[in-house]
Amino acid sequence: MCIRDSTQFCITLSGSSVSDEGALGIIEALFCQLNLSQIRMNIDYCPGITNKTGKRMADLLQAHKDVTDFVFNVFNTEISSEVKASLKQIRNTRRFRYFFVDS
């Protein structure tokens, strides 16, 4: 986890013990409490992460227009390709300086 300045945050979640509940708590804080404009999140080998996390991420990204840079690297989770595609569609609804969703 690193905080580069008051607007930029990056975090990596990894391990089989990471669940939707834990990830959602972090995501809610990133979007709702810290008022960040740049968010970079890596999720690797977290089979407990499901569409619930991906859908909430999409909802928050739609609601928080102040986020200008968004990176969401997801590997080895249960987030479906359909939910990842819905996250990518957000890129088409507004302008980002940088936007990346990977699977």
Side-chain angles (χ1 to χ4, degrees), residues 31-61:
F31 280 94
C32 301
Q33 296 171 1
L34 298 177
N35 294 321
L36 300 169
S37 62
Q38 300 174 20
I39 296 173
R40 288 163 170 61
M41 177 172 274
N42 298 302
I43 298 179
D44 187 18
Y45 188 68
C46 297
I49 300 292
T50 69
N51 285 339
K52 182 177 179 181
T53 294
K55 288 176 182 176
R56 183 64 181 142
M57 179 78 76
D59 291 344
L60 288 167
L61 198 53

Side-chain angles (χ1 to χ4, degrees), residues 2-94:
C2 65
I3 298 176
R4 295 203 170 112
D5 60 39
S6 62
T7 63
Q8 192 176 76
F9 189 88
C10 32
I11 189 166
T12 298
L13 302 177
S14 182
S16 59
S17 63
V18 178
S19 67
D20 277 326
E21 289 73 27
L24 287 169
I26 292 167
I27 291 166
E28 293 282 340
L30 291 177
F31 280 94
C32 301
Q33 296 171 1
L34 298 177
N35 294 321
L36 300 169
S37 62
Q38 300 174 20
I39 296 173
R40 288 163 170 61
M41 177 172 274
N42 298 302
I43 298 179
D44 187 18
Y45 188 68
C46 297
I49 300 292
T50 69
N51 285 339
K52 182 177 179 181
T53 294
K55 288 176 182 176
R56 183 64 181 142
M57 179 78 76
D59 291 344
L60 288 167
L61 198 53
Q62 287 281 43
H64 290 270
K65 304 295 186 197
D66 52 334
V67 176
T68 58
D69 292 17
F70 181 72
V71 177
F72 189 47
N73 291 314
V74 184
F75 304 95
N76 303 310
T77 70
E78 295 300 317
I79 297 176
S80 69
S81 57
E82 292 83 14
V83 171
K84 292 174 192 171
S86 72
L87 277 163
K88 292 176 184 179
Q89 282 296 331
I90 295 169
R91 175 181 41 214
N92 299 330
T93 63
R94 63 180 230 251

